[in-house]
Amino acid sequence: MKFGTKAIHAGQVPDPSTGAVMTPIYQTSTFWQESPGKHQGYAYARGKNPTRSALEKCLAELEGAKYGLCFSSGMGSIDAIVKLLRPGDEVITGDDLYGGTYRMFTKVFAHFGLKFHFIDMKDANNIKKHVNDKTKMIWLETPTNPTMQIIDIEACAKIAKEHKLILAVDNTFASPYLQNPLALGADIVMHSVTKYIGGHSDVIMGALCLNDEKLYTELAFIHNSCGATPGPMDSFLVLRGIKTLHIRMERHCYNGRIIAEYLKTHPKIDRLYWPGFPDHPNHAIAKKQMKDFGGMISFSLKGNKQEDAFRIASSMKVFTLAESLGGVESLINHPATMTHASIPKAEREHAGVVDSLLRLSVGIEDVSDLLDDLKQALNA
Ligand code: P1T
């Protein structure tokens, strides 16, 4: 089956007890057991719930995976991956990451004896310089949040295999429609389902997809033991949202291209980050590993003044000033004070997250309204 058919049908069959075509919201915390341990596959809803199971199967199919696990947030799913490690282990990761991921690595897990190397991964060969006998994992985002760095997943997978490391890829910015890291050799794909997959800015959720049975068993154990599992209502909302993922992504990409092209020649803009431009670093790799270039765009302003960025962000009428991304509605965000505020200034600036940087999540509205909005806000 092709992607659009899977998005609508995978993991879902008419409900066996009623024939309901849409997967019911099994709003129950526990399940009847005929005798202790004898049940119909469901015992306690932290471990397993039928609405969530349908979504996990659907997501796994969209990522070409055997297994899917849904979490109560994207951060909950990252937390589970890091818990595969032991004190003393080291992780090699990128120098441009979602601020919450950076915060979890440096402010939570560093206290448990884990070490994180934040390096430039645009040339995957840099990874080799940081591998030692304690290295256990490579963690990457591509495109990265918020400067859209493109990392070569296949090249990273080769290095990971050579050194027996786990390669985990945060695929949030691409969504499974644009990029499937497992097919490129990754071991685990992570999503903030909150974003494109949910698509309607009404759910917080995370997911992991993978093929390796041993890793899955470990992660499923952590999932149930630590308990960051989502409820059935949220699972239902995501199942509903996911049915239009392929259509939404096409429109995000279409609108994203038009807006990126408009901004490219704007006299007030200094640097523009969108992987669809031939001069974007690693554009050729983006072309190779992604189906299209997405609707996430960042730009900094000439003069690099935070007050100019604030004025633009607050002048938008159709774009909403808010954290998050990937919903049908367009959002604008100021990473330095919002999504990436927990990264020390010197480190974020090194990655391009300067005081005037603004990030757009281009929605699926009529693109002419989005263009008009940007025009008036840039001139405000
Ligand atoms: O918000 P949550 O569902 O817990 O997902 C965390 C997360 C993980 N990975 C990436 C690449 C992300 O962008 C996020 C969340 N990001 C935002 C809220 C944001 O506005 O960038």
Side-chain angles (χ1 to χ4, degrees), residues 158-171:
K158 231 181 238 169
I159 296 165
K161 296 260 168 331
E162 236 170 75
H163 297 276
K164 297 191 169 49
L165 313 175
I166 296 170
L167 174 61
V169 177
D170 182 337
N171 203 25

Side-chain angles (χ1 to χ4, degrees), residues 73-75 78 98 101 141 145 170 172-173 190 192 194-195 204-205 323-325 339 359:
S73 67
M75 295 318 298
I78 299 174
Y98 168 52
T101 307
E141 286 176 15
N145 182 358
D170 182 337
T172 300
F173 266 39
M190 175 263 153
S192 169
T194 314
K195 310 298 183 313
I204 296 281
M205 195 187 289
E323 303 204 10
S324 204
L325 59 112
T339 50
R359 188 191 72 186

Side-chain angles (χ1 to χ4, degrees), residues 251 255 259 318 330 363-372:
R251 186 67 172 262
N255 285 358
I259 290 189
V318 182
S330 293
I364 63 170
E365 299 96 336
D366 277 304
V367 71
S368 57
D369 291 325
L370 300 180
L371 280 172
D372 288 347

Side-chain angles (χ1 to χ4, degrees), residues 108-292:
V108 180
F109 282 111
H111 302 317
F112 289 83
L114 295 172
K115 190 167 173 188
F116 297 86
H117 300 265
F118 298 93
I119 69 159
D120 182 350
M121 284 187 162
K122 289 193 293 295
D123 177 0
N125 284 320
N126 278 341
I127 294 171
K128 293 182 191 165
K129 295 182 206 153
H130 296 269
V131 175
N132 62 45
D133 56 0
K134 293 181 182 151
T135 314
K136 291 287 167 354
M137 184 181 286
I138 300 172
W139 173 273
L140 64 88
E141 286 176 15
T142 182
T144 63
N145 182 358
T147 65
M148 317 298 155
Q149 286 180 20
I150 298 295
I151 316 296
D152 187 338
I153 299 173
E154 213 165 8
C156 291
K158 231 181 238 169
I159 296 165
K161 296 260 168 331
E162 236 170 75
H163 297 276
K164 297 191 169 49
L165 313 175
I166 296 170
L167 174 61
V169 177
D170 182 337
N171 203 25
T172 300
F173 266 39
S175 89
Y177 178 75
L178 294 182
Q179 180 171 274
N180 298 122
L182 297 178
L184 300 166
D187 299 297
I188 308 172
V189 177
M190 175 263 153
H191 281 284
S192 169
V193 171
T194 314
K195 310 298 183 313
Y196 287 107
I197 293 175
H200 297 74
S201 303
D202 51 10
V203 173
I204 296 281
M205 195 187 289
L208 302 180
C209 298
L210 66 161
N211 282 317
D212 184 87
E213 190 181 348
K214 187 169 164 285
L215 266 183
Y216 170 71
T217 306
E218 278 184 65
L219 285 165
F221 177 79
I222 294 166
H223 188 235
N224 183 43
S225 304
C226 297
T229 57
M233 181 66 196
D234 282 353
S235 302
F236 172 83
L237 284 170
V238 174
L239 275 170
R240 180 178 172 147
I242 220 168
K243 290 181 195 299
T244 53
L245 177 61
H246 51 305
I247 306 288
R248 287 187 280 110
M249 288 313 295
E250 280 171 15
R251 186 67 172 262
H252 283 296
C253 291
Y254 173 83
N255 285 358
R257 172 180 292 281
I258 291 172
I259 290 189
E261 279 166 1
Y262 162 69
L263 294 173
K264 180 111 176 134
T265 53
H266 197 285
K268 290 199 175 159
I269 286 178
D270 181 19
R271 297 198 59 180
L272 182 59
Y273 303 91
W274 182 67
F277 291 125
D279 60 355
H280 186 84
N282 285 349
H283 170 72
I285 293 163
K287 238 175 139 171
K288 186 183 72 165
Q289 68 188 20
M290 297 173 75
K291 194 185 262 179
D292 205 338

